[in-house]
Amino acid sequence: FSYIRGSFVTVHFYWTCSNTGISFLLPVWRKYAILDLSTEKGASSLMKHPIRATVLCCNLSGAKGDQIKAAAVRRGLRIRTILPEELTLPLGRLAGLPEYAEAGPLDGTPFQEEMLIFHQFTEPLLDAFLADIRRAGGVQLKAVVTPTNASWNVCALYRELEAERAAIAQQRRAYTENA
C-alpha cells in the first residue's frame, strides 16, 4: 500500500522473516522521491540518465492516477506528467531523448482523454506494468515511443490512436454482422 505526499511516495509492504521455524511479517517503509520533470533540474536529470524506463501520463488524475503512479514508483519507473501546455512538444523531447532536447512545439489540438506513453520498457516490465494499470481501473489509450513517433507531438499520437481505435471498432462490427 502506498500514498503520495508532496514530492515523495511512501510505499508500505511487508517482509516475511523466518527465524527458528516461526514465520512473521515485518513492516517495511520506503520513501521514494518523485522526480519533477517540469523543472530544469528534473529535466536535466532525465537527459543525463535516459536509460531508465519512463511513463508519460496525460490527463491522469484522481485515485486511479495515484494508484498507477504508485505502481510505477514500485517498479522503479520515472513518471512524467504531461502538462496541457506540453501537449504540442515532440514525444522524443518529453521522453528525454537528447536529439529532441531543443525541439520546439508542433501544431495540435488538446484533448481530455487519459493516455499513457511508455519509453525504454522491457517486455516483461511492460507486461507487469500493464497488469498494474488494469488493476487500477485501466487506461484506454496507451502507446510506446518508437523511432517513428518520437518526432510526433502528444496530440498527433492521440489522433493516431483514436483513428486506430475507430478502425478496430469498425472491423469488429463488420465481423459481428458477418458472423
Side-chain angles (χ1 to χ4, degrees):
F1 128 165
S2 59
Y3 62 92
I4 299 176
R5 177 175 287 168
S7 60
F8 290 93
V9 173
T10 303
V11 179
H12 299 269
F13 56 95
Y14 291 90
W15 178 48
T16 304
C17 183
S18 179
N19 218 1
T20 65
I22 301 171
S23 293
F24 54 95
L25 295 175
L26 296 174
V28 179
W29 294 271
R30 295 281 191 261
K31 197 171 196 178
Y32 299 95
I34 296 176
L35 182 61
D36 183 5
L37 297 176
S38 62
T39 65
E40 188 175 324
K41 181 180 177 185
S44 67
S45 173
L46 179 61
M47 292 295 186
K48 291 177 191 171
H49 309 287
I51 302 301
R52 190 167 163 201
T54 303
V55 60
L56 306 174
C57 305
C58 302
N59 302 322
L60 195 63
S61 60
K64 178 169 59 170
D66 290 344
Q67 287 177 343
I68 291 171
K69 289 175 183 177
V73 168
R74 281 192 304 272
R75 298 206 178 273
L77 306 174
R78 277 201 169 103
I79 303 166
R80 173 86 154 67
T81 300
I82 306 302
L83 302 173
E85 57 270 15
E86 296 175 315
L87 292 175
T88 57
L89 294 176
L91 291 174
R93 180 173 174 179
L94 296 171
L97 297 173
E99 58 269 28
Y100 293 96
E102 300 299 320
L106 307 166
D107 290 334
T109 306
F111 58 94
Q112 298 301 315
E113 199 164 350
E114 298 173 331
M115 182 166 62
L116 295 174
I117 306 164
F118 310 112
H119 178 62
Q120 294 289 3
F121 274 65
T122 62
E123 190 173 337
L125 178 59
L126 183 60
D127 289 342
F129 189 56
L130 288 172
D132 293 338
I133 293 167
R134 281 189 295 274
R135 278 191 291 277
V139 173
Q140 288 290 318
L141 299 176
K142 298 174 285 296
V144 175
V145 177
T146 66
T148 301
N149 68 18
S151 62
W152 302 357
N153 65 22
V154 179
C155 298
L157 179 63
Y158 171 77
R159 285 192 308 273
E160 184 68 25
L161 291 175
E162 280 294 307
E164 187 176 295
R165 188 166 40 173
I168 290 170
Q170 183 180 5
Q171 285 178 344
R172 284 184 182 160
R173 280 192 303 275
Y175 178 76
T176 307
E177 291 171 1
N178 294 333

